[in-house]
């Protein structure tokens, strides 16, 4: 794509950029999410809801927008990404969701969208693929890198009806969710757009679930496309599981543009060829062997059908230029040849559906054994429910899957990005960093006194080393003895760390406050400290592989 490279180079040298295809709808927004997870059940006096979600625009102007609203959601775990949600004993909603209004708010001005050729709202029936807004053009264009507020006002007919789960609201970025017993009640918030969210709608913990999986997920658009001054940079569809879709970051650690997880943050950085517009089409639990396949109750092609609708809007031109595949972790199996066939099988299905599309693979991450403290290399082990290193390493101890992906064996991809090298620690061979390898500070004041009285704050020498949603372990001043679990960080103000829940642990001055690299229970999902390392350590030059 020489025109893309040239136009990017001109733009970076300060000259004018000639749009490559200003009449082509392309994915543009940060923050988008596919509906998945537990359904939301409406409660009394709040069967009318309004969500305000903020998305970041690309590094070029945009002007004409279309947004899609889903009538289904995917399972997380199990058969994910099956598109008939099954969460415990809860199946599909069994009811419609009625959109009363959908609006873009930009520079304090509301721009209402329409549906079906001019209707202010739409009825989204259960187990349908959903509906698109009509084209909406913002007069004067939307600035590069601007924030757009997306307001969805909707209701269900009866209290207790369910709603498809999409977004955990990021309160610290000004996002909100409001409820009421009538349309007029939620419309009133347009006059007070920064009013506090309705507590009953925030989480199952009654408002204390921010940064936790228990935080409710609320309705909003999933697919978002725009026409504008696209300069030819890659625009990618990203296939993800929980590693790419940030299982250990739920809200407070979102950056200024709403990104959570290492992959979104890396793609949206300004380094290399710049921010890469992307659509994340996966969700926790997804596997290569199940993506873009299936039928009936396990179907995983509905999202792809919606994607293809955009191609129809574009008279045959796709709204993306490449596919970035992060899947593989949930495909682990023996023998290795079966695992590998799952990687190549998905590649074949993608290429069959999108002939000529560029396909780039990310190396899957390793996994530690469950319930390891991981303080130092000597404490680390591989998981018994994975096949590392047995059957996946050659005689030199190299990880076979990584080598095969990098070698592009069997045409598994057109290029490969070695994510593993940005993730692993000094021990190498698919082992993550230890506590000692990651940033930590010490307590400047003692915390806890008798092991009974509770508290929620730690005071440390350097609070800048920590981030919200990070799980902690407290060790003695010399690092030799585990004092106990320090909980999970809710927020940080200067050198004061506030935890999500109160603890009674007795911690002396000088105690080391370590950050857990991966989820303590599974030895797999990167915690915020490792998310930050990965998004910063992986070279931005890798983005050029998306061309």
């Amino acid at each position: 794509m020489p025109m893309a490279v040239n136009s990017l180079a001109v733009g970076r040298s300060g000259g004018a950029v000639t749009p490559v295809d200003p009449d082509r709808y392309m994915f543009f927004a940060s923050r988008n999410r596919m509906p998945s997870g537990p359904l939301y059940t409406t409660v009394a006096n709040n069967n009318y809801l309004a969500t305000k979600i903020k998305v970041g625009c690309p590094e070029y102007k945009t002007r004409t927008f279309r947004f899609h609203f889903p009538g289904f959601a995917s399972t997380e775990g199990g058969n994910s990404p099956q598109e008939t949600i099954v969460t415990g004993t809860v199946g599909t909603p069994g009811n419609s969701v009625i959109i009363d209004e959908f609006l873009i708010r930009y520079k304090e001005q509301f721009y209402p969208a329409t549906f079906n050729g001019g209707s202010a709202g739409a009825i989204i029936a259960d187990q349908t693929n959903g509906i698109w807004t009509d084209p909406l053009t913002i007069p004067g264009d939307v600035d590069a890198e601007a924030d757009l507020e997306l307001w969805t006002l909707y209701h269900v007919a009866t209290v207790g009806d369910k709603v498809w789960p999409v977004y955990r609201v990021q309160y610290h970025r000004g996002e909100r969710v409001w409820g009421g017993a009538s349309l007029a009640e939620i419309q009133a918030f347009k006059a007070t757009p920064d009013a506090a969210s309705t507590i009953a709608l925030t989480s199952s913990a009654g408002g204390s679930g921010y940064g936790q999986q228990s935080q409710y997920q609320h309705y909003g658009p999933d697919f978002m496309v725009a026409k504008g001054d696209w300069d030819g940079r890659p625009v990618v569809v990203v296939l993800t599981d929980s590693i790419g879709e940030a299982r250990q970051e739920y809200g407070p650690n979102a950056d200024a543009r709403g990104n959570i997880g290492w992959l979104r943050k890396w793609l949206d950085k300004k380094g290399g060829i710049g921010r890469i517009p992307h659509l994340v089409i996966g969700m926790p639990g997804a596997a290569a062997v199940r993506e873009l396949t299936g039928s009936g109750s396990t179907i995983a092609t509905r999202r792809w059908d919606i994607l293809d609708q955009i191609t129809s809007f574009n008279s045959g031109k796709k709204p993306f230029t490449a596919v970035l595949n992060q899947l593989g972790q949930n495909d682990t199996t023996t023998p290795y040849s079966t695992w590998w066939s799952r990687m190549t099988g998905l590649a074949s299905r993608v290429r069959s559906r999108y002939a000529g599309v560029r396909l780039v693979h990310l190396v899957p991450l390793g996994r530690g054994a469950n319930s390891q403290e991981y303080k130092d290399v000597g404490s680390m082990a591989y998981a018994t429910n994975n096949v590392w290193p047995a059957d996946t390493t050659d005689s030199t101890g190299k990880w076979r899957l990584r080598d095969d992906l990098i070698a592009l064996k069997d045409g598994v991809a057109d290029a490969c990005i070695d994510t593993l090298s940005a993730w692993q620690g000094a021990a190498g061979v698919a082992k993550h960093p230890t506590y000692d390898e990651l940033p930590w500070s010490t307590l400047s004041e003692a915390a806890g006194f008798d092991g009974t009285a509770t508290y929620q704050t730690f005071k440390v020498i350097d609070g800048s080393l920590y981030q919200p949603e990070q799980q902690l372990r407290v060790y003695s001043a010399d690092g030799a003895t585990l004092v106990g679990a320090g909980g999970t960080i809710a927020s940080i103000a200067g050198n004061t760390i506030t935890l999500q829940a109160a603890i009674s642990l007795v911690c002396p001055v000088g105690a080391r406050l370590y950050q857990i690299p991966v989820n303590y229970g599974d030895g797999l999902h990167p915690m915020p400290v490792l998310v930050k390392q990965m998004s910063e350590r992986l070279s931005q030059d890798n983005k050029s592989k998306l061309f």
Side-chain angles (χ1 to χ4, degrees), residues 143-264:
D143 294 338
E145 301 183 287
D147 277 343
L148 289 183
E149 293 180 6
L150 309 181
W151 288 59
T152 308
L153 283 65
Y154 61 100
H155 73 276
V156 293
T158 305
V159 171
D161 280 356
K162 301 181 187 301
V163 180
W164 302 288
V166 189
Y167 295 99
R168 289 183 175 90
V169 176
Q170 297 174 354
Y171 306 116
H172 70 288
R173 294 183 57 245
E175 294 186 351
R176 297 290 186 266
V177 55
W178 301 288
S182 68
L183 178 58
E185 286 186 49
I186 58 173
Q187 285 176 325
F189 288 105
K190 289 193 287 185
T192 56
D194 295 319
S197 293
T198 303
I199 292 296
L201 307 180
T202 56
S203 79
S204 57
S208 62
Y210 194 34
Q212 301 177 44
Q213 197 169 3
S214 63
Q215 184 183 347
Y216 293 137
Q217 293 171 235
H218 293 290
Y219 197 54
D222 49 3
F223 290 80
M224 312 176 193
V225 291
K227 294 180 180 181
D229 293 346
W230 174 52
D231 54 11
R233 74 184 62 217
V235 177
V236 299
V237 170
V238 189
L239 313 183
T240 62
D241 55 29
S242 55
I243 305 299
E245 189 57 335
R247 189 49 169 265
Q248 300 309 135
E249 291 189 333
Y250 298 105
N253 210 37
D255 65 19
R257 287 166 56 87
N259 298 300
I260 57 175
W262 81 267
L263 184 49
R264 291 175 182 268

Side-chain angles (χ1 to χ4, degrees), residues 8-9 17 34 45 50 55 155 184 268 303 307 336 348 379 449 451 466 490 512:
L8 285 173
V17 173
M34 297 292 106
N45 300 314
V55 302
H155 73 276
D268 200 45
R303 290 160 295 130
L307 188 157
Y336 172 76
S348 295
S379 71
F449 297 98
Y466 302 87
R512 299 185 183 186

Side-chain angles (χ1 to χ4, degrees), residues 332-336 339 365-369 380-403 420 427-431:
T332 56
T333 187
T334 55
Y336 172 76
W339 188 1
L365 310 182
R367 176 183 287 193
M380 296 182 67
Y382 287 103
T384 56
N385 65 332
N386 244 328
V387 286
W388 293 298
D391 196 39
T392 60
T393 58
D394 61 25
S395 59
T396 64
K398 294 179 180 178
W399 194 34
R400 184 175 173 185
L401 179 65
R402 173 178 177 267
D403 290 351
L420 190 70
V429 196
K431 289 187 176 181

